[in-house]
Amino acid sequence: MLVLAMLGSGAPAFAQEASEAPPVPAPSAAEAAAPQGTASNGTRTYAPADFARFAPRSALDMLNNLPGFAIDEGDTERRGLGQATGNVLINGERFNSKSVDIFTELGRISAANVARIEIVDGATLNISGLTGQVANVVTLSQGLAGNFVWRPQIRARRTPPRVLDGEISINGSLGGTQYTLSLANVSRRNGNAGPEIVTTPAGVVLDRRDEVLSVNEEQPRLAGTIRRTFGDGSILNANAAFALYSIDLGEDSFRSGPGQPDRDRRLREREREHNYELGGDYEFGLGGGRLKLIGLHRAEHSPYRQTLVTEFSDGRPTEGERFTQTADEAETILRGEYRWRGGPNDWQVSLEGAVNRLDVESGLFALNAAGEFVAVPFPNSEATVEERRGEAILTYGRQLALNLTLQLALGGEYSNLVQDGAGGLDRTFYRPKGFLNLAWRPADGWDVSARLERAVDQLDFFDFVASANVSGGTQDAGNANLVPPQSWNAQVQATRNLGPWGTATARVFGRLVSDVVDIIPIGETGQAPGNLEATARRYGVQWTSTFNFDPLGWRGAKVDMNIELERTSLRDPLTGRRRAFNEVETREIEVNFRHDVPRTAWAWGATFEQFRQSAGFRLDQRFRFLDTPGSLGVFIEHKDVMGLTVRASVDNILDTNESFSRTFFDGRRNPTESNILFTEDRDRFYGPVFTLSISGTI
């Protein structure tokens, strides 16, 4: 039996082996009320019957209807595996994968194999790093089960139908070993069209561009996991995944303007990637504690090509540019975690070693008079970047009072960062890391958590090497002097359970970042990603809630909200003035209304989504993307069409357009931005989007 040492007597009962939990018979949709769960010692437990009115097909469907809870993937760009992040556990364990996200993994777990879902404050668990409300999905094995979903989609304008988006997965048990197999494809058909107008600061039109964009993308993936609990209490988990990624993008632009010939501009992008991941962990008892050994290796091969050709109506020679890049990425991680209890205290020591490597070869080409692309000088376009890293963390936890729990982690990391190639460097760094978590239950129905953390961020190795965007007309020189940013992170989160009315969670967060990466000057005219000297700031608030209308007499209706507002500030490396981070989301709003009609299998609802992001800056440009006014969609669903759930939805009812504005400067930007040359303003429309989702169980 898996025994996880919990902090304090109020810890949730993750100790029960998943396969021992009996299935709970679900009531009919007519009998089901809004999910409320049962509370005990700070843990709220939801049984499958709590979700009956939604007719869930997977664990993901259940969590998506959990009151006041929004799934958080955590730090998807974290260095190695590190301490646990996110807010979802499976059978009391963190999900150890860097190629498969938690949404995908939850979608593979059949609802029939979910015994219960437990909500608890992460700081009360002996899993180093967790904080705030955490959902633990406890599974059971009761024979072969599975899910499938097919999501065909069509857009009203210009775009071919999407017909190959879907997934099929099976869960089962063979000789005491639980397994999951899945075959999935993420398919995307995107397209829009509209004008782009180029004007001077005085409003004089310099150019008009009528543009059409199309994007075809496929991501097939084959994945599998196994889990086995042995008689001595040891546990084995293993996972493997292989995926392909294919994207073809085309943009056609007819251009005309005063004093210029008409032009046909054609942009084509193509990428053919394959990647795989192998991982696993083995946990067993050792010397009065538990030792977990974790290993992961992933690799990716990505050939990419971007080609731009412009033809002129007055017979002048055709112009063209091409950028190519072939990249091979790999990451190998070995990690060990040993935890034990000493009196009222819980301890964990973790050691991790990781190797990250990027081999990249890029090229820049120009079209000659014979119609051939020939190479042009492109310095610092080939390199190998490798980081060898070690981390050691000691975590201490204990219950300070009946309603107060502490978790403290201290440690540091060593890293050796090497770049071979032009301007290559060999550097070594030592950095402190750690965090302090507090979990407090001031009264029934209240959960409050606080966290203070010292963190080291992961660098993007592609920033070390020269790159080009022939569509945008930009080049980055590459920078071998980059160092990983470090930050102080703090947050306070409070959750209020409102009983039959629902749940609400508020979070306030902030970060102080040193060595933040932004575009900096290189030489007289060049630019590249580089570290800034001044400390940068990020802070914001998040509200997540579920409000049930049942107490008001509207049975089966609810509204879920997730709203996040963020502000950022750094010192511009060119002007010295404070401004926002490049292209960071400053506002994200998602509101979902759903009504499960009592005594029927019908449901209907609506969704509104909107986001805003800060402007992006290069040394000679300022640009910004907007979606206006936001995406509104409606759906209707029947939960039993010959045993299937069928959902039809229409999105973008408000006819949101994709707007993009870019301002070019005469040379580099000055503090007053008085040297503007011209501005491009783009509006592209794509119309309503119709999606049919058909899901079922095996």
Side-chain angles (χ1 to χ4, degrees), residues 17-183:
E17 185 176 324
S19 60
E20 295 177 357
V24 179
S28 67
E31 299 170 327
Q36 296 183 41
T38 57
S40 176
N41 294 324
T43 300
R44 181 162 292 274
T45 301
Y46 295 86
D50 290 313
F51 303 94
R53 86 181 197 190
F54 307 114
R57 302 291 180 173
S58 67
L60 180 61
D61 294 336
M62 291 177 163
L63 281 185
N64 282 338
N65 286 290
L66 202 60
F69 185 84
I71 299 173
D72 181 5
E73 292 184 82
D75 185 4
T76 57
E77 300 298 326
R78 64 187 183 274
R79 294 163 67 78
L81 290 173
Q83 309 303 299
T85 61
N87 64 354
V88 177
L89 302 175
I90 300 176
N91 293 318
E93 301 175 354
R94 60 185 290 190
F95 178 57
N96 291 316
S97 176
K98 302 199 74 174
S99 297
V100 178
D101 59 64
I102 190 64
F103 295 94
T104 301
E105 184 63 18
L106 291 170
R108 295 170 180 167
I109 300 174
S110 173
N113 282 348
V114 175
R116 62 187 181 276
I117 297 174
E118 299 167 334
I119 302 296
V120 65
D121 195 297
T124 64
L125 309 179
N126 193 20
I127 300 177
S128 181
L130 293 180
T131 188
Q133 294 290 289
V134 174
N136 177 47
V137 180
V138 181
T139 66
L140 53 85
S141 180
Q142 53 177 12
L144 187 66
N147 313 312
F148 64 87
V149 60
W150 180 45
R151 293 178 290 259
Q153 183 183 90
I154 188 168
R155 293 177 173 233
R157 302 176 184 172
R158 303 176 190 85
T159 306
R162 182 188 79 182
V163 296
L164 297 178
D165 189 278
E167 180 172 10
I168 183 169
S169 62
I170 58 173
N171 324 130
S173 180
L174 185 63
T177 300
Q178 299 179 47
Y179 64 86
T180 299
L181 293 173
S182 70
L183 177 63

Side-chain angles (χ1 to χ4, degrees), residues 57 149 181 202 246 370 382 462 513 592:
R57 302 291 180 173
V149 60
L181 293 173
S246 170
E382 299 180 20
F462 285 94
V513 188
N592 297 301

